[in-house]
Amino acid sequence: MALIRLEVLDGQGRMKAQAEDEKQVILAFKAFYEEGDSIRLTVPQTDRHYWLRIDDVIEESLVYLTERELIFTIPFEEKKKAWNPKAFTGERHYLTCRPAEDYEIKSYRNLAKNPMDTCDSQGCYPHASSNLGAGGAFEFAARNAIDGVLANHSHGSWPYASWGIQKRDDAEFSLDFGRPVCFDRIVLRTRADFPHDNWWVQAALEFSDGTRQTVAMEKTDKGQEFLIKKENIVWIKIKDLIKSDDPSPFPALTQIEVYGTEGVME
């Protein structure tokens, strides 16, 4: 029988904890994480949705996996700044994974949300990236804009992590769903740590179907909603960002939310 397996490995790939099950795997173990440790998930079937919890203080993620094996490296030091400081600490840990039910997959929801996305995620969607990379500042990496954390009255470490543009005028943000989706509403929540922050007055949304829509934005700490209806879109890019004439060089995106349902697989 095909099994779902969760494992915790040390820096040399040696097993520290393991659990497996055909329907729902639950891994509870007692040990401190050490530098180099990782979590390995192995699933029997790809191109399907799973509910995955990698830590008891991180929200369970509905992810779409296109690879049988997923590796998540436990973050330390600088890489930990974008995560809840209580995550991956202590000596008691709780990890779970199960296939999503049809009613969960078909529900109208935020299709962009993935609290466990990382800069180097492969085969796990939704996934955020940019043409800038993390630049060594993980609290300003693209993955922060899909983690579900909406706090935007400050900047820097969690819960104020965001996607920052590194003072670049050519910055582009990419959101990859890993499969076709349909949506009718996009919400952009920009960082609002004024006067430290600037804001965008205009942005272009580019879609995988070759279309493009320009949206007007404003100075606000609230989510800015755009009613944009699209079908069978695989990715969205935010580009051609125009800052206000405020002297601050630091506009940033705290969160993007994309509301809709699954698309049609070809």
Side-chain angles (χ1 to χ4, degrees), residues 192-253:
D193 186 14
F194 310 123
H196 172 276
D197 286 343
N198 201 331
W199 65 95
W200 294 297
V201 297
Q202 183 175 293
L205 301 178
E206 186 176 281
F207 306 100
S208 60
D209 63 358
T211 61
R212 173 187 173 104
Q213 185 160 337
T214 299
V215 296
M217 303 178 68
E218 59 185 25
K219 180 181 182 180
T220 180
D221 63 351
K222 305 296 191 295
Q224 300 180 62
E225 181 177 273
F226 305 99
L227 302 180
I228 301 173
K229 188 172 183 179
K230 292 286 181 180
E231 295 185 354
N232 294 330
I233 299 297
V234 177
W235 54 258
I236 300 172
K237 288 187 178 181
I238 305 175
K239 58 196 303 185
D240 297 337
L241 293 156
I242 300 177
K243 297 192 295 286
S244 78
D245 57 7
D246 189 278
S248 168
F250 301 118
L253 180 66

Side-chain angles (χ1 to χ4, degrees), residues 137-154:
F138 292 90
E139 65 269 37
F140 302 118
R143 57 87 45 203
N144 301 322
I146 63 170
D147 65 358
V149 180
L150 305 181
N152 65 348
H153 284 178
S154 186

Side-chain angles (χ1 to χ4, degrees), residues 91-240:
E91 61 175 347
R92 293 180 183 271
H93 308 282
Y94 177 65
L95 295 74
T96 64
C97 183
R98 67 171 175 86
E101 300 290 347
D102 283 346
Y103 73 89
E104 295 171 318
I105 297 169
K106 294 176 181 178
S107 66
Y108 181 87
R109 65 186 190 280
N110 177 10
L111 299 162
K113 187 177 178 180
N114 182 4
M116 62 149 291
D117 188 37
T118 64
C119 298
D120 55 358
S121 288
Q122 293 186 354
C124 181
Y125 300 95
H127 173 58
S129 61
S130 81
N131 62 335
L132 309 175
F138 292 90
E139 65 269 37
F140 302 118
R143 57 87 45 203
N144 301 322
I146 63 170
D147 65 358
V149 180
L150 305 181
N152 65 348
H153 284 178
S154 186
H155 67 280
S157 301
W158 189 96
Y160 300 110
S162 59
W163 174 60
I165 65 170
Q166 302 176 31
K167 302 181 183 180
R168 293 264 297 273
D169 291 332
D170 63 341
E172 296 183 6
F173 174 92
S174 298
L175 172 60
D176 192 341
F177 300 103
R179 81 284 183 194
V181 299
C182 302
F183 53 85
D184 57 15
R185 183 162 58 105
I186 296 175
V187 180
L188 301 179
R189 186 179 298 266
T190 53
R191 206 174 61 203
D193 186 14
F194 310 123
H196 172 276
D197 286 343
N198 201 331
W199 65 95
W200 294 297
V201 297
Q202 183 175 293
L205 301 178
E206 186 176 281
F207 306 100
S208 60
D209 63 358
T211 61
R212 173 187 173 104
Q213 185 160 337
T214 299
V215 296
M217 303 178 68
E218 59 185 25
K219 180 181 182 180
T220 180
D221 63 351
K222 305 296 191 295
Q224 300 180 62
E225 181 177 273
F226 305 99
L227 302 180
I228 301 173
K229 188 172 183 179
K230 292 286 181 180
E231 295 185 354
N232 294 330
I233 299 297
V234 177
W235 54 258
I236 300 172
K237 288 187 178 181
I238 305 175
K239 58 196 303 185
D240 297 337

Side-chain angles (χ1 to χ4, degrees), residues 19-65:
E20 58 185 20
D21 194 85
E22 68 272 13
K23 292 184 178 180
Q24 182 172 28
V25 58
I26 300 170
L27 176 56
F29 69 100
K30 182 179 179 181
F32 288 100
Y33 283 124
E34 300 173 298
E35 190 85 33
D37 284 357
S38 62
I39 297 166
R40 180 167 65 190
L41 169 68
T42 306
V43 296
Q45 184 178 349
T46 61
D47 302 315
R48 70 166 302 171
H49 294 80
Y50 293 86
W51 282 104
L52 176 60
R53 185 196 316 271
I54 55 169
D55 188 86
D56 49 279
V57 305
I58 296 174
E59 191 174 355
E60 190 177 33
S61 301
L62 179 57
V63 295
Y64 184 80
L65 300 182

